[in-house]
Amino acid sequence: MPELPEAETITRHLRRELLNKRFARVIHCRRDVIRHGHYRELRSFLNTPITRIDRRGKRPFLEIADGRGIVFFLGMTGRLSVCDSTTAVENHTHLRLQLGDSDRELRFNDARRFGGFGFYTRRNECEPVGIDGLGPEPLDVTAPQFRDICARDRQIKALLLDQKYIAGLGNIYADESLFRAGIHPLTPASNLDAKQVSRLLRAIKRVLTEAIEYEGTTIINYLHPDGPGNFQTRLRVYGHEGENCRRCKVPIERMQVAGRSSFVCPMCQPPAA
DNA sequence: AGTAAACTCCGGAAGC
DNA sequence: TGCTTCCGGAGTTTAC
């Protein structure tokens, strides 16, 4: 599942490959993966330098000079890569953009099609469609901001997963952050005391920063097959149902929270009374 | 109004 | 082997 660290890794990769380059041709585009805007708009990205490549939360985007951009929703299985045009085209490849003066191309692949992409225009300081309506970046959010976010009567995990309050956490890093902060996912956010809120924010920043250093958890193998390994081995609870907690040796439990599987140490993360 | 749950998209994986 | 079931990011709908 691509979350913020995976999006950051992909963004850096795209930046190395695409910044200041231009697309020359649309080789292929499956139109029904377009979330915002119209297929026609794709043409306007041709023969114009890409001036900015970044991400918002878990969504990478790229922009050309007039403020227009393409934002990618990776969903569960979305992947972005830049490769030689002669590279065999994998199944479920929904977008191929040929680079000018090069035999390379950008590809978007998404087996389950929960992902897609959208076009937007950045106007002044307003955040564009597809990148708007998102909460602050977890790595930038301040302690007072996070206190406000947590001041609502909602299960803390559901809150962390809701992109409009904080942008970039998905199921894996939400569970890992809650474990490291010693907080049960069902705890109403407004029940957390100041100490817990600050511990949670620190845990989030630590987990995400470390995961970025490891280039994410799941999807990076195809980008850097010879890379430094990934965050998989650093997960303490996610996917570890039935195994003994590293800290207290009590078996990790799996439960449903906000409709998602959640992995919890019942000892380190005591349920709210 | 704010929250929560159900439903939708889809195909790979797991289970039988 | 071949079927059925499970799973989920995020948007939408429905119900408190």
Side-chain angles (χ1 to χ4, degrees), chain A residues 40-52:
Chain A
R40 280 191 304 270
E41 298 175 62
L42 198 46
R43 264 196 347 197
S44 63
F45 287 90
L46 302 184
N47 304 310
T48 304
I50 299 162
T51 53
R52 181 176 178 193

Side-chain angles (χ1 to χ4, degrees), chain A residues 240-264:
Chain A
H240 288 285
E241 180 187 15
E243 297 173 32
N244 295 335
C245 170
R246 293 163 48 130
R247 250 178 34 211
C248 74
K249 309 305 177 198
V250 165
I252 305 296
E253 291 176 5
R254 177 180 181 146
M255 59 187 299
Q256 291 290 117
V257 180
R260 316 282 164 85
S261 325
S262 301
F263 297 87
V264 179

Side-chain angles (χ1 to χ4, degrees), chain A residues 45 51 62-70 120-123 128:
Chain A
F45 287 90
T51 53
L62 47 87
E63 289 183 4
I64 55 180
D66 66 357
R68 275 175 303 138
I70 307 177
Y120 62 82
T121 303
R122 185 181 290 277
R123 291 185 184 83

Side-chain angles (χ1 to χ4, degrees), chain A residues 12-122:
Chain A
R12 292 176 183 180
H13 172 73
L14 295 181
R15 202 177 283 140
R16 282 194 301 273
E17 292 275 357
L18 300 180
L19 193 60
N20 299 320
K21 304 229 170 81
R22 48 189 87 198
F23 296 120
R25 184 165 72 96
V26 181
I27 303 174
H28 170 71
C29 175
R30 179 175 171 138
R31 300 183 189 203
D32 65 3
V33 301
I34 298 174
R35 298 272 202 100
H36 310 284
H38 192 276
Y39 171 71
R40 280 191 304 270
E41 298 175 62
L42 198 46
R43 264 196 347 197
S44 63
F45 287 90
L46 302 184
N47 304 310
T48 304
I50 299 162
T51 53
R52 181 176 178 193
I53 298 172
D54 222 321
R55 65 159 180 84
R56 186 70 176 85
K58 50 176 96 162
R59 303 170 188 173
F61 63 84
L62 47 87
E63 289 183 4
I64 55 180
D66 66 357
R68 275 175 303 138
I70 307 177
V71 56
F72 290 92
F73 300 71
L74 299 173
M76 294 283 300
T77 50
R79 295 179 354 195
L80 283 165
S81 61
V82 179
C83 63
D84 290 338
S85 285
T86 51
T87 306
V89 180
E90 288 187 69
N91 253 351
H92 312 297
T93 298
H94 306 310
L95 180 68
R96 300 175 65 195
L97 294 177
Q98 174 80 54
L99 284 172
D101 304 323
S102 162
D103 56 356
R104 291 174 77 70
E105 66 183 59
L106 172 69
R107 290 181 184 176
F108 174 67
N109 180 290
D110 186 5
R112 294 195 190 166
R113 255 184 285 144
F114 273 27
F117 54 89
F119 306 112
Y120 62 82
T121 303
R122 185 181 290 277

